[in-house]
Amino acid sequence: MHAPAPVTGRRVLALALPMTLANVTTPMLGFVGAAVIGRLGDAALLGAMALGAVIFDAIFWSFGSLRMATAGLTAQAVGARDGAEIDRTLARALAAGALAGLALVVLQVPLGAGAIAVSGASPAVAEGLTLYFHVRIFAAPFTLANYAVLGSVLGRGRTDLGLLLQVAINCANIALTLLFVLGFGWNLAGAASATLLAEAGGLALGLAVLARLGTHPFRVPLAAVRDPVALRRMLSVNLDVLIRTLALVAGIALFSALGARMGDVTLAANAVLWNLFLIGGFFLDGFATAAETLCGQAVGSRSAEAFARAARLSLLWCLGFGLAVSLIAYLGGDLFIASVTTNAEVREAARHYLPLAALGPFVAATPFAYDGIYIGATWTRAMRDLMIAAFLTYALILMLMVWAGLGNTGLWIAFLSFLAARGGGQALAYPRLLRTTFGLGRGAAAPSPGTARG
């Protein structure tokens, strides 16, 4: 196989922009699904669809580590020019995804009952949600396998193909939803069936694409898939990323819960501003993906210089885009708020907290970039520990903000501190981890992401 291309600013952009487009187009699926079900004129069906989407997002997001771990390990194999290890990594990830997906299917009754109970849905909504859940849950093995396929594609540096796969799955889902719901009249069962078939078709397409790239996971001997050392490494990386993700989810949940205690107007205003922050995150995530690929390949090729250059460029581009998005959010925030809500009180409250919320993308740029750097290097244990430390810092600052009586302003300050603590901790740990990974020795000067040659 060919050696990875040199690390340049153009290459960072070429890797980042396709995934940014994929992230931006993904919400269209939820919009179309809601619009199609909404045309049926039954509020309970629309509520069930919305809650179902939230439940499955929460379930599958917990397994996002499968995509990230596969991308990091694959990138390292690419950097080492080890095609056989690329195949083995994907084979293990597909096996893990299939087993986890099948476990979700087998446990669907208690999972569904628990999710519906926690949702607090009315009897009418719960009835529709139950139907939707028990059809869509059969997509779990395909969805998790697609995470593995996407990780393998991204680890190879083919974010263009990652965009293709994401758009293909979403377009198929939209087309099948229109056919099954409006054409066949299958309502929520049709929407869930559309997702099931789209994910299955996406997996077939993804495997075909990888086969064209020379990756054949089903030719890997079972003994190699079950290799205990490799399995322990893969599972350890996945577990670290899972714990990190759960800590991040806990931080977001704490933000939402405390906001809800401040009244309906504050809760609604925070929800509007949170969507503004998420849109900014779509643009930053592409640069995290670029960092995963470039840093992982540099580790595989044992090049500390290429690694530091990739880290530096990823950070610079992510910070630049984060600053631009924050400025756009601040200058265009009034228009965004007005387009989302017509409630005068909510608009006024959202405008009041807009300056703090608009800072979010810029403050998040550093931890986003470092997440990609750490995943590419498989520094996942450090990433896990630093996330836990940042969460504890966040909790302490929240307590101080509550004690000071700063209300929702204090809540936003604490959340921004959470983001800053993540990035700051990762930046401080970076030199030590780099020296350890590349064997530079305690007294050697590790290349810094801020000082590597441009």
Side-chain angles (χ1 to χ4, degrees):
M1 62 185 298
H2 299 294
V7 178
T8 63
R10 180 175 295 181
R11 188 167 179 227
V12 171
L13 279 176
L15 290 170
L17 293 182
M19 291 315 297
T20 298
L21 288 175
N23 290 335
V24 171
T25 56
T26 296
M28 288 298 297
L29 174 61
F31 173 77
V32 171
V36 171
I37 294 296
R39 287 180 62 87
L40 301 178
D42 189 332
L45 292 180
L46 184 58
M49 177 78 175
L51 281 176
V54 170
I55 289 170
F56 280 103
D57 283 348
I59 291 173
F60 293 141
W61 198 23
S62 300
F63 291 94
S65 57
L66 187 63
R67 198 281 299 165
M68 290 183 275
T70 305
L73 295 171
T74 299
Q76 292 182 16
V78 170
R81 303 177 71 177
D82 188 346
E85 183 58 24
I86 293 174
D87 288 3
R88 290 192 290 265
T89 297
L90 179 57
R92 295 182 193 110
L94 286 171
L99 289 173
L102 289 172
L104 291 174
V105 171
V106 170
L107 297 171
Q108 63 176 286
V109 173
L111 280 175
I116 293 168
V118 170
S119 73
S122 67
V125 171
E127 181 181 357
L129 181 55
T130 300
L131 173 63
Y132 181 84
F133 182 92
H134 290 296
V135 174
R136 186 173 169 182
I137 193 66
F138 284 94
F142 302 110
T143 300
L144 298 186
N146 277 324
Y147 284 1
V149 168
L150 182 60
S152 185
V153 168
L154 298 182
R156 297 179 71 111
R158 296 302 305 270
T159 54
D160 56 333
L161 295 178
L163 171 62
L164 169 68
L165 293 176
Q166 294 297 96
V167 170
I169 291 172
N170 291 338
C171 287
N173 202 337
I174 289 170
L176 290 171
T177 298
L178 291 169
L179 176 64
F180 292 164
V181 177
L182 299 182
F184 295 168
W186 291 355
N187 297 340
L188 289 172
S193 299
T195 300
L196 168 59
L197 292 178
E199 293 286 352
L203 177 58
L205 176 62
L207 292 173
V209 166
L210 286 171
R212 291 292 299 270
L213 295 176
T215 299
H216 302 283
F218 298 111
R219 297 180 186 175
V220 176
L222 183 59
V225 176
R226 296 171 57 186
D227 178 71
V229 175
L231 274 178
R232 276 197 299 271
R233 185 189 182 203
M234 184 194 74
L235 293 175
S236 175
V237 170
N238 274 277
L239 181 60
D240 289 339
V241 178
L242 173 61
I243 294 171
R244 165 261 183 197
T245 302
L246 292 176
L248 177 59
V249 171
I252 296 170
L254 189 56
F255 177 88
S256 299
L258 291 177
R261 294 171 66 90
M262 297 177 188
D264 292 347
V265 172
T266 299
L267 174 63
N270 281 352
V272 172
L273 296 173
W274 184 254
N275 280 306
L276 189 63
F277 173 75
L278 287 180
I279 291 171
F282 293 150
F283 291 92
L284 301 179
D285 194 56
F287 292 97
T289 301
E292 289 175 23
T293 300
L294 296 174
C295 291
Q297 291 180 2
V299 168
S301 63
R302 307 301 302 164
S303 174
E305 182 180 356
F307 187 96
R309 182 175 173 81
R312 174 181 179 270
L313 289 172
S314 298
L315 276 165
L316 287 176
W317 277 109
C318 205
L319 283 166
F321 265 70
L323 177 60
V325 172
S326 284
L327 288 173
I328 292 170
Y330 179 72
L331 296 175
D334 278 355
L335 181 61
F336 178 83
I337 292 166
S339 69
V340 173
T341 178
T342 58
N343 186 289
E345 288 184 284
V346 174
R347 284 184 176 183
E348 183 180 355
R351 290 190 186 106
H352 180 73
Y353 300 111
L354 175 62
L356 286 171
L359 280 173
F362 179 66
V363 178
T366 299
F368 263 78
Y370 270 117
D371 277 353
I373 293 165
Y374 276 52
I375 289 168
T378 57
W379 295 339
T380 52
R381 178 174 296 181
M383 186 171 70
R384 176 201 67 191
D385 294 344
L386 290 167
M387 174 65 84
I388 293 172
F391 177 81
L392 294 175
T393 302
Y394 169 52
L396 176 61
I397 293 173
L398 270 177
M399 291 174 58
L400 293 174
M401 294 296 107
V402 171
W403 176 78
L406 292 179
N408 199 47
T409 297
L411 185 58
W412 276 102
I413 291 173
F415 184 73
L416 292 173
S417 300
F418 181 31
L419 297 175
R422 284 178 57 204
Q426 289 167 318
L428 289 173
Y430 173 88
R432 175 183 59 81
L433 293 168
L434 186 62
R435 283 194 295 268
T436 301
T437 297
F438 291 98
L440 298 177
R442 184 178 294 274
S448 164
T451 59
R453 292 181 182 178

